[in-house]
Amino acid sequence: MTSNRKAVAGLAIVGIFIVVALLAPIIAPSGPNQRVAKPHEPPSAEHVLGSTRMGRDVLAQTIHGTRTSLLVGFVAGLVVTVVGVAVGVTSGYFGGRIDELLNLVTNVVLVIPNLPLMLVLAAFVGEAGPMTIAVIIGMTAWGWGARVTRAQTLSLRQRDYILASEMLGEPAWRIILVELLPNLVSIIGFNFIGSVLYALITEATLEFLGLGDPLALSWGTNLYHAQETSALRVGAWWEIAAPCLALVVFGSSLSLINFAVDEIANPRLRTLRVPKRILAAIMPVGAAE
Amino acid sequence: MVFLLRRFGFYVAAFICAATFNFLIPRLMPGNPIDTMFAQSGTALPPESLEALKKTFGFLDVPLPIQYLHYLASVFTWDLGLSVKFYPLTVNQVLVRALPWTLLLVLTSSFAAFAIGSLAGARAAWRRGGSFDSFGAPAALMLQAIPPLVTSLLALYLFAISLKWLPTGFAWDPMLDLTWSWESVWSVLYHAILPVVTMAMAQIGGYLVTMRNSMINLLGEDYITLGMAKGLTDRRLRLVYAAYNALLPALTSFAMSLGAVFGGSLVTEVVFNYPGLGYTLYQGITSRDYPLIQGQLLIMTLAMLSANFIADLLYIIVDPRLRRA
């Protein structure tokens, strides 16, 4: 993985974000909710990203918001992956009735639109806290992971080494944990990273729509408060720009990692780094540039 | 035919599931479901409307299974109750009023993104490792990582508020009476530009990558090599031989992503004050109008299922093997 430049860049950025989240109280010691400036002050040397309507420092708010946003992203991503893998592997390995039932449930979950369902759930919970949002995302978004894992399990199940383990009388749980799961690692990793990205965006969306706990501090609630105080319409672009930028940079780095995982797991997709002359010689006419 | 019937049966089951969620969620929450659900309605609705609303949602003095049947009966007769926020309108009327605007955004942006993304993906796969591919594929992936929320806010600030090229909100000029005149149509199109473009941006990347990957896998097939050996033109080989067959996974992702597009349109509409389902829903959320929030889940599920059914029909056209199944 270290030889892949996309993976290295992606992991580095994600690492920086995690460090910022962990060290938030040290990097921005004044705290996110203190009034330290006049309302809607543009970026200056003192307040690098300006201030909010309430006179809070946007940079401090974004840094502290990183903690909740990342936590929700990773927790929800974990829930999505665990449920998806559990359903997919059970379904693919045991087959028969169990498979039929689980596959039906998966298809139903896939076909019911996620965001509207989450809106209903969150609306009834009322001012859902960050962890509630993580659970809601986790429960509604596992369909895709389950489908992909099931497909891969089905194909692995026919391999000789699995059949051999069965002949030896290994218990099913051991075959699944020791023989099957290690061969699903790339799919599980891909699923996890994609789910974290999805959870991050969805959390921000739910909170922006006013379904989150307004007292929680995350990129989503920052955007919500900015929208509530019409930051854009009075020209305070920095209040919107900071959480947006954080979302985009963190999201893209996750995307980079996933692109790399895909290339490593599926060599056909790899972009060849071969000089064009050689490429033209080995590739059929017309395919090389 | 059997294939279609089976799919149809599945869609009915899925729809019942969505309705079941609606039925169960208020009843599973702590506290009295009637109180939670109609807390906002007490002052807004006259008592007889409140009674009718309770009846629609099955809050009757009968055992739970009977309540459930009552609710299903309401749903299948498309009686979704009264909207609290927009009283005296029914949820149905509110949704029907908003649906065309959302459909306009969703359909225009999806088709545009599908066409552009698939063509670009085919091109990237054809010259794999070429300049278009090494720039296009990662760029598309980056684009996909940008949430619709961010693109909408950015576009709103840049093109509507700062540059003032495009309107900041609404679906048409409020000074205008909406009729089938050129002026109205122009106004509607003019107001749709920003929402449609931002929604399409979020989708292009996905189609590009799907098409690229599926085409790369196809290009190794023998019939492509045979086509080259026969001396077919590049263009014919790329579009008719490879791209057409690579479309199947792209179609699946088209149907599957439609749910996400509807979700994305919720956000885009809120940012642009666009009077579709999303914005209506937003108004419902801020006033805790539960019948409306539940109604939109049903209507969006229905939209999603219809899209899947259309995709099934398209499969049959694209893949003749399914006609025999």
Side-chain angles (χ1 to χ4, degrees):
Chain A
M1 201 144 186
T2 45
S3 62
N4 192 309
R5 286 195 299 187
K6 290 186 186 108
V8 172
L11 283 172
I13 301 174
V14 168
I16 293 173
F17 270 89
I18 293 176
V19 169
V20 166
L22 289 177
L23 300 182
I26 301 169
I27 304 173
S30 67
N33 287 330
Q34 262 168 356
R35 298 188 174 205
V36 289
K38 283 189 226 109
H40 281 157
E41 227 173 75
S44 61
E46 201 181 341
H47 301 288
V48 181
L49 291 177
S51 71
T52 69
R53 168 86 176 275
M54 307 290 286
R56 290 165 181 157
D57 186 64
V58 174
L59 182 63
Q61 286 220 313
T62 312
I63 289 175
H64 281 266
T66 311
R67 313 188 103 188
T68 317
S69 286
L70 258 60
L71 192 66
V72 170
F74 283 115
V75 169
L78 199 67
V79 177
V80 171
T81 315
V82 169
V83 177
V85 169
V87 171
V89 168
T90 315
S91 178
Y93 183 78
F94 291 103
R97 284 271 169 78
I98 299 175
D99 181 33
E100 259 171 47
L101 180 73
L102 287 179
N103 200 23
L104 180 73
V105 175
T106 309
N107 283 333
V108 167
V109 169
L110 276 173
V111 93
I112 293 178
N114 276 343
L115 195 62
L117 179 60
M118 279 187 268
L119 290 177
V120 173
L121 273 166
F124 275 100
V125 172
E127 306 206 334
M131 275 306 120
T132 318
I133 288 184
V135 173
I136 290 178
I137 295 172
M139 287 192 312
T140 47
W142 52 267
W144 186 82
R147 173 178 278 190
V148 180
T149 316
R150 173 178 173 269
Q152 186 67 15
T153 310
L154 276 179
S155 92
L156 285 178
R157 207 191 172 320
Q158 298 306 319
R159 302 277 168 88
D160 288 340
Y161 71 97
I162 301 273
L163 295 178
S165 311
E166 277 179 354
M167 297 290 186
L168 286 171
E170 299 250 20
W173 63 265
R174 196 173 181 280
I175 298 180
I176 289 178
L177 286 184
V178 180
E179 313 284 357
L180 214 52
L181 280 185
N183 288 298
L184 289 171
V185 161
S186 74
I187 277 194
I188 295 174
F190 191 78
N191 186 7
F192 176 69
I193 296 164
S195 303
V196 172
L197 176 59
Y198 174 81
L200 190 81
I201 294 175
T202 310
E203 183 217 2
T205 307
L206 288 180
E207 285 175 339
F208 174 76
L209 292 176
L211 285 164
D213 175 4
L215 295 177
L217 194 74
S218 72
W219 297 337
T221 46
N222 290 351
L223 281 174
Y224 168 73
H225 289 303
Q227 177 82 353
E228 285 288 280
T229 53
S230 336
L232 275 189
R233 286 174 205 265
V234 299
W237 52 268
W238 52 89
E239 202 182 339
I240 296 270
C244 281
L245 197 67
L247 276 171
V248 169
V249 173
F250 187 68
S252 327
S253 62
L254 287 176
S255 232
L256 265 181
I257 298 177
N258 244 359
F259 205 55
V261 171
D262 206 17
E263 278 181 358
I264 291 164
N266 191 355
R268 267 187 157 182
L269 301 179
R270 212 170 294 168
T271 308
L272 291 170
R273 271 185 210 290
V274 182
K276 273 184 188 161
R277 259 177 311 125
I278 302 177
L279 199 69
I282 52 173
M283 294 280 272
V285 189
E289 209 156 14
Chain B
M1 208 49 220
V2 178
F3 168 75
L4 280 185
L5 274 179
R6 267 221 322 269
R7 296 301 293 169
F8 191 76
F10 167 70
Y11 293 140
V12 173
F15 186 72
I16 292 178
C17 273
T20 310
F21 283 134
N22 268 349
F23 176 80
L24 285 180
I25 290 169
R27 286 168 175 81
L28 286 177
M29 293 295 156
N32 184 350
I34 305 183
D35 287 352
T36 352
M37 200 142 171
F38 305 120
Q40 299 289 326
S41 336
T43 47
L45 302 186
E48 63 272 14
S49 308
L50 194 58
E51 278 312 306
L53 205 51
K54 281 182 187 166
K55 198 158 165 266
T56 303
F57 286 92
F59 288 112
L60 301 165
D61 224 358
V62 287
L64 212 59
I66 314 274
Q67 291 188 12
Y68 179 54
L69 290 181
H70 267 281
Y71 178 63
L72 279 190
S74 319
V75 167
F76 275 90
T77 49
W78 207 249
D79 167 17
L80 303 178
L82 287 164
S83 163
V84 177
K85 161 93 183 172
F86 298 96
Y87 182 78
L89 292 182
T90 63
V91 168
N92 219 343
Q93 287 166 323
V94 174
L95 292 179
V96 166
R97 197 177 56 177
L99 183 64
W101 297 112
T102 299
L103 282 182
L104 175 72
L105 296 190
V106 167
L107 293 180
T108 329
S109 66
S110 305
F111 281 117
F114 182 72
I116 298 172
S118 298
L119 282 174
R123 201 188 134 98
W126 190 248
R127 300 211 191 286
R128 182 157 55 125
S131 51
F132 183 74
D133 185 31
S134 36
F135 171 76
L141 234 85
M142 292 294 129
L143 211 62
Q144 222 184 345
I146 303 179
L149 180 58
V150 173
T151 13
S152 315
L153 286 169
L154 198 75
L156 175 73
Y157 184 71
L158 215 66
F159 298 108
I161 294 178
S162 293
L163 294 171
K164 295 192 170 56
W165 287 351
L166 291 159
T168 55
F170 306 114
W172 68 89
D173 188 350
M175 307 306 263
L176 219 60
D177 275 329
L178 208 58
T179 49
W180 280 111
S181 67
W182 276 114
E183 214 183 350
S184 293
V185 172
W186 169 244
S187 172
V188 165
L189 289 180
Y190 181 59
H191 283 74
I193 296 176
L194 268 186
V196 166
V197 171
T198 48
M199 282 171 66
M201 293 264 289
Q203 301 168 60
I204 287 180
Y207 292 127
L208 195 153
V209 173
T210 314
M211 189 65 181
R212 171 181 181 268
N213 292 0
S214 123
M215 190 136 150
I216 284 177
N217 283 326
L218 262 182
L219 285 178
E221 300 275 332
D222 289 341
Y223 74 91
I224 301 282
T225 320
L226 179 73
M228 280 180 189
K230 281 205 298 188
L232 294 177
T233 58
D234 234 36
R235 192 188 152 78
R236 185 174 164 79
L237 205 56
R238 182 177 45 170
L239 294 179
V240 183
Y241 278 57
Y244 185 72
N245 286 307
L247 262 182
L248 208 59
L251 266 181
T252 317
S253 70
F254 183 70
M256 299 247 302
S257 71
L258 221 65
V261 181
F262 266 101
S265 112
L266 293 185
V267 182
T268 310
E269 286 173 19
V270 172
V271 172
F272 290 106
N273 288 325
Y274 201 85
L277 284 178
Y279 186 64
T280 313
L281 178 64
Y282 178 64
Q283 292 172 305
I285 290 172
T286 48
S287 55
R288 295 283 181 243
D289 183 349
Y290 290 109
L292 185 62
I293 300 175
Q294 290 208 337
Q296 61 84 31
L297 173 62
L298 292 181
I299 199 167
M300 292 215 177
T301 308
L302 206 63
M304 177 85 175
L305 297 179
S306 324
N308 272 277
F309 195 63
I310 294 171
D312 288 340
L313 292 175
L314 286 179
Y315 281 150
I316 295 189
I317 298 172
V318 178
D319 188 350
R321 284 171 297 183
L322 282 173
R323 275 176 231 162
R324 270 180 279 127

